[in-house]
Amino acid sequence: MNRTIVLLAALVGTTAASVAGPVAPIALSRGCPASFALEQGRCRLHTPYQDYASLAGAGVGGLKAGLPAFRDGFTPAQIDLGRYLFFDPVLSATGQVACASCHRPGHGFADPRALSVGVGGHEVRRNAPSLWNVGFLQKLFWDGRAHSLEEQVQGPLYGEREMGTTPGKLEAALNAVAAYRDLFSQAFPGTQSIQSTQVYTALAAFESTLVSLNSRYDLYAHGVHDALTTPEIEGLNVFRSFVARCGECHTPPLFTNQQIAVIGMPEPRGHALDPGAGAVTGIPGLRGGFRVPSLRNVALSAPYGHAGQFATLRETVGFYTGGRGHAVPKGEHLQLHWHIWEPHLSAAELDRLVDFLATLTDQTFLPATPTAVPSGLPPAT
Ligand code: HEC
Ligand code: HEC
């Protein structure tokens, strides 16, 4: 017995000594996060919405609408490695900015600052959106310019105002950390030297696990009628009414139809019009267009809009009843979406909408924030 303890202590001592930096050896998880099942070594999502798959794509949704295609199939080790990378500022040029600096777990993985701030204190042009349910999105960024998580992640990594690194610097920074060399060989067996593409895969793997489909609204959708209160059901009814038309674009169950819509939300004071998808696609009719954001966990992710123009949900929903085009700058002729109209919602109806939106809050599967990251730098929280 005693001998075993001594032996163990010696073993731990040797391993710790062979790892540079202050971080103890980390064994990556061998199991999938909650709501995923391990199938042939890979994590696959399981949700009751998959039983409604036959209705997917049926348009406006309804309570039992199915989900769009989902990005799963990563290994437990890749997902867990992605979690460390997400919180580690070693990924940025200055060692000070992590993904989690702008996508804060305590704020729905969004940024409480209207405009995010990256390396060197540079302000970026837009608000950092929530990352809950990004694994379902076919178009990423406010203007829909990226089409996979792996493509998207190169935006912040190499953006001068975000993390400001280059593929070469990123690989050098990670290969210099013994703990990362070990973790990458656990997640990608056979790794000789860490590649930037492995970083994209691991971050995508982690992001794909940010699934939020267990809110009180979901219970209601699955048939638990008393999961919502009377004012919340009134709010749901306003939301899906043909007068307010919210559900035409913010289609359940993700509360986005993933399309680009020109709705004419204002810019922050003093900012020129953000052309959004108009600039990306070159299509004049999409000037001022943005991908419809999901409203999952929206009560946690203030402020709202592509530039964080609105401080509260009440102000945001109030925009929709201000009159079609009321916030479009003079001289601009945006082709506003036909579902943006003049619903003349009362103050009470707007309050009920806010009540309803709060029923979409669900952080059951909030991943643990690491207390230490492999680089030994202070993790972002
Ligand atoms: C400096 C702040 C900042 C950092 C750091 C940052 N992001 Fe973002 N992120 C943003 C902003 C701002 C946007 C929206 C930009 C746009 O739409 O043009 C965004 C958008 C996204 C999106 C698209 C979400 C959607 O709904 O389309 C994903 C996914 C994402 N970031 C993941 C990451 C990951 C992973 C990292 C780390 C490698 C990261 N971000 C680092 C600010 C940041
Ligand atoms: C024509 C499609 C469309 C309709 C109808 C619509 N929205 Fe939106 N919604 C959008 C788009 C696009 C954005 C992003 C606009 C921007 O940032 O400039 C948005 C943004 C929002 C946001 C901010 C989300 C965030 O994370 O910042 C909320 C909240 C919201 N809508 C709620 C509603 C409600 C409530 C209604 C009904 C009264 C509604 N929407 C009707 C397309 C629509």
Side-chain angles (χ1 to χ4, degrees):
M1 184 79 175
N2 272 346
R3 260 177 56 197
T4 325
I5 290 171
V6 173
L7 237 169
L8 257 176
L11 259 177
V12 171
T14 339
T15 328
S18 67
V19 175
V23 180
I26 300 168
L28 292 177
S29 173
R30 288 164 175 273
C32 297
S35 87
F36 288 80
L38 194 59
E39 289 165 19
Q40 289 160 350
R42 291 174 184 271
C43 299
R44 300 282 174 199
L45 179 69
H46 287 268
T47 142
Y49 281 107
Q50 286 158 334
D51 296 340
Y52 313 144
S54 59
L55 296 176
V60 179
L63 292 173
K64 295 206 171 4
L67 286 164
F70 178 69
R71 200 53 222 291
D72 57 2
F74 297 99
T75 67
Q78 289 166 350
I79 292 169
D80 205 20
L81 171 60
R83 186 174 64 96
Y84 286 106
L85 292 169
F86 188 84
F87 288 93
D88 198 333
V90 78
L91 271 60
S92 67
T94 56
Q96 287 175 327
V97 180
C99 306
S101 309
C102 299
H103 298 282
R104 309 251 306 264
H107 294 266
F109 286 95
D111 197 334
R113 300 168 292 196
L115 299 177
S116 295
V117 178
V119 288
H122 289 301
E123 208 167 63
V124 304
R125 184 177 190 185
R126 294 181 181 148
N127 177 254
S130 166
L131 300 186
W132 283 108
N133 295 328
V134 280
F136 292 103
L137 300 182
Q138 329 289 319
K139 291 189 191 95
L140 294 151
F141 286 122
W142 283 101
D143 51 19
R145 66 185 183 278
H147 297 91
S148 71
L149 288 169
E150 289 88 337
E151 178 192 349
Q152 188 284 329
V153 79
Q154 300 174 54
L157 283 171
Y158 308 132
E160 281 176 6
R161 296 180 158 262
E162 286 159 304
M163 300 171 84
T165 191
T166 62
K169 274 192 211 162
L170 176 68
E171 290 170 0
L174 292 172
N175 279 304
V177 178
Y180 271 127
R181 294 198 300 273
D182 172 43
L183 293 179
F184 275 80
S185 55
Q186 289 180 47
F188 302 97
T191 298
Q192 296 297 319
S193 140
I194 299 169
Q195 304 297 311
S196 51
T197 49
Q198 295 171 327
V199 177
Y200 314 155
T201 304
L203 283 168
F206 171 66
E207 292 177 278
S208 76
T209 66
L210 302 176
V211 174
S212 174
L213 294 169
N214 291 302
S215 65
R216 286 195 294 115
Y217 162 80
D218 296 295
L219 275 181
Y220 183 81
H222 299 320
V224 182
H225 294 297
D226 54 5
L228 299 186
T229 65
T230 304
E232 288 164 351
I233 294 172
E234 284 168 14
L236 168 59
N237 289 338
V238 177
F239 189 89
R240 59 187 178 185
S241 68
F242 195 67
V243 178
R245 306 185 184 189
C246 316
E248 303 278 342
C249 295
H250 300 283
T251 317
L254 287 182
F255 291 83
T256 169
N257 59 6
Q258 309 211 36
Q259 290 173 15
I260 304 288
V262 183
I263 70 168
M265 268 195 184
E267 297 298 335
R269 200 181 293 277
H271 284 230
L273 182 94
D274 183 336
V280 174
T281 60
I283 301 172
L286 292 184
R287 182 168 169 78
F290 295 96
R291 189 210 60 214
V292 176
S294 165
L295 301 180
R296 292 282 180 170
N297 279 325
V298 76
L300 305 173
S301 67
Y304 303 105
H306 62 268
Q309 311 91 299
F310 297 115
T312 65
L313 272 181
R314 183 61 168 73
E315 279 175 58
T316 317
V317 301
F319 158 82
Y320 287 97
T321 204
R324 181 176 159 89
H326 71 277
V328 175
K330 282 206 173 49
E332 286 285 353
H333 300 284
L334 301 185
Q335 293 184 25
L336 295 173
H337 195 283
W338 69 285
H339 282 310
I340 295 301
W341 208 241
E342 314 236 348
H344 302 294
L345 301 176
S346 68
E349 286 167 327
L350 294 173
D351 290 342
R352 294 299 79 75
L353 278 175
V354 174
D355 292 342
F356 168 65
L357 292 176
T359 71
L360 298 174
T361 301
D362 157 47
Q363 305 188 84
T364 323
F365 301 142
L366 185 71
T369 297
T371 48
V373 286
S375 66
L377 293 169
T381 46

